[in-house]
Amino acid sequence: MRFADLETRGTLSKTVHIADLPHILETGKRPKGGAASCGIPSVGAENVKKLGEFNYSSNKYIPRTFADNLKKGRVNGYELMIYKDGGRPGQFIPHFSMFGEGYPYKEFYINEHVFKLDFGDRGLNEFAYYYFHTPYVMKWLETNGTKAAIPGINRQNIEELEFPDPEQESVQDFCKRIQPYFTAIFRNCLENKQLQSLRDTLLPRLMSGEIDVSKVDLTQLTNNHLPARGHNVPNCYWKEPLWKPSLIVFCRRCRTCLIRHSSNIWPKYSESRCCQLRKHQRRRIC
């Protein structure tokens, strides 16, 4: 069930203003003097781009003592983040995002350049994420955002927006259906971050030889492009055990294995002088 289908069928015709709905609309702040070098993460407008996108290299922080005294701006998860200001003179392009499930951080705050909109209903917040990308909302925010000398929107601009009545059956049904997808997106983002951290930690040690993998049992590998019993190997090519350390070469760029001097096993691969997948120069590692 796509959000566009709701618009096409005209089921969003009954609207109210955001100001008429129970909601929380607030920003955060940073201490005088700017962000700190460590502490609690403080997210700015540079990370309000789209769902599932976050630039960890732009991390900013606020001191723990300052965060404990803040009454606004804490992100609990599944609130709509709205790009508040910072556009170029005469140009304002709205951006929206959402975080949750401990992504990008378990505890963090927003700064003065981000609005947090929370209807008190996770499903309705997710519905709002898609609704705010409709041409009507984008045009409304673009128009109002370019009126000031410094492009940006204020609380009134958002609260005056017409919003589909949450009591409509189509809206409620969409809110129920969409929740598992957002959960999966955030958990995948969090897992990707953990895998990137693991890669960045292990790869330099593997390349420098600090971690010794010479005793790894290669018979456990199951690369699809290599012949092995039970893995797409024609019987006519199987004449001896495949995994011999002296027969394996390694593509230095795409890290795929090849066979060396083993035409009696699989001529198609052994006769090649480069990686079969990407045609890179190969390198012997055993």
Side-chain angles (χ1 to χ4, degrees):
M1 183 180 183
R2 300 185 310 161
F3 184 85
D5 295 337
L6 300 179
E7 295 184 291
T8 303
R9 294 198 303 267
T11 56
L12 302 180
S13 56
K14 186 178 180 181
T15 61
V16 295
H17 290 93
I18 291 180
D20 299 328
L21 298 173
H23 69 280
I24 296 175
L25 182 63
E26 64 185 25
T27 63
K29 64 178 181 179
R30 289 174 179 168
K32 294 182 179 180
S37 57
C38 61
I40 308 302
S42 176
V43 174
E46 67 277 2
N47 275 314
V48 178
K49 298 298 182 182
K50 62 180 180 179
L51 188 67
E53 181 176 311
F54 191 88
N55 182 11
Y56 285 91
S57 63
S58 61
N59 287 352
K60 302 291 176 58
Y61 303 91
I62 55 178
R64 162 58 71 181
T65 55
F66 183 82
D68 291 340
N69 293 324
L70 284 177
K71 298 181 179 180
K72 297 180 179 180
R74 181 186 174 109
V75 179
N76 300 308
Y78 293 98
E79 303 102 333
L80 178 63
M81 302 295 152
I82 305 173
Y83 183 91
K84 179 176 177 287
D85 54 42
R88 299 177 180 178
Q91 181 184 26
F92 179 78
I93 302 177
H95 296 286
F96 315 100
S97 187
M98 185 174 286
F99 309 112
E101 300 296 324
Y103 171 80
Y105 304 103
K106 291 184 178 180
E107 180 185 0
F108 67 103
Y109 292 78
I110 55 176
N111 68 1
E112 302 89 341
H113 303 287
V114 180
F115 271 129
K116 181 185 78 171
L117 177 60
D118 184 11
F119 290 103
D121 184 303
R122 168 184 161 181
L124 191 57
N125 291 344
E126 295 166 349
F127 174 88
Y129 175 81
Y130 286 104
Y131 179 72
F132 269 64
H133 283 88
T134 59
Y136 159 69
V137 178
M138 293 291 288
K139 186 64 176 178
W140 172 275
L141 296 179
E142 287 177 9
T143 302
N144 287 276
T146 55
K147 289 181 178 180
I150 301 178
I153 55 177
N154 55 38
R155 177 184 300 272
Q156 184 178 2
N157 297 144
I158 296 177
E159 292 185 335
E160 288 181 351
L161 275 170
E162 292 185 358
F163 191 84
D165 190 348
E167 299 299 326
Q168 296 178 92
E169 183 179 352
S170 58
V171 175
Q172 295 180 2
D173 185 52
F174 184 88
C175 293
K176 292 179 181 179
R177 290 174 180 267
I178 200 64
Q179 292 186 33
Y181 297 98
F182 272 71
T183 300
I185 289 173
F186 294 140
R187 289 180 179 177
N188 287 341
C189 290
L190 190 60
E191 184 178 1
N192 287 341
K193 171 58 180 174
Q194 294 170 345
L195 291 174
Q196 290 174 9
S197 178
L198 181 63
R199 176 202 63 193
D200 295 341
T201 301
L202 293 179
L203 187 57
R205 297 183 180 182
L206 287 169
M207 299 298 292
S208 64
E210 182 179 349
I211 298 179
D212 184 13
V213 295
S214 60
K215 296 182 180 180
V216 175
D217 184 6
L218 296 178
T219 59
Q220 301 299 318
L221 300 178
T222 57
N223 289 347
N224 291 333
H225 62 282
L226 286 174
R229 188 181 296 277
H231 293 275
N232 302 323
V233 180
N235 292 332
C236 61
Y237 291 131
W238 187 268
K239 296 184 179 180
E240 61 178 315
L242 168 66
W243 294 106
K244 290 187 176 180
S246 62
L247 302 181
I248 296 177
V249 293
F250 210 79
C251 174
R252 81 174 59 173
R253 291 175 60 187
C254 68
R255 301 296 190 237
T256 54
C257 301
L258 289 180
I259 304 302
R260 179 174 177 270
H261 302 318
S262 55
S263 58
N264 61 329
I265 297 178
W266 201 319
K268 182 176 66 172
Y269 283 96
S270 63
E271 295 171 359
S272 174
R273 296 182 60 84
C274 61
C275 171
Q276 290 291 320
L277 296 184
R278 302 186 186 179
K279 306 302 180 183
H280 299 156
Q281 182 182 1
R282 69 183 186 177
R283 180 183 60 175
R284 182 177 177 181
I285 62 170
C286 299

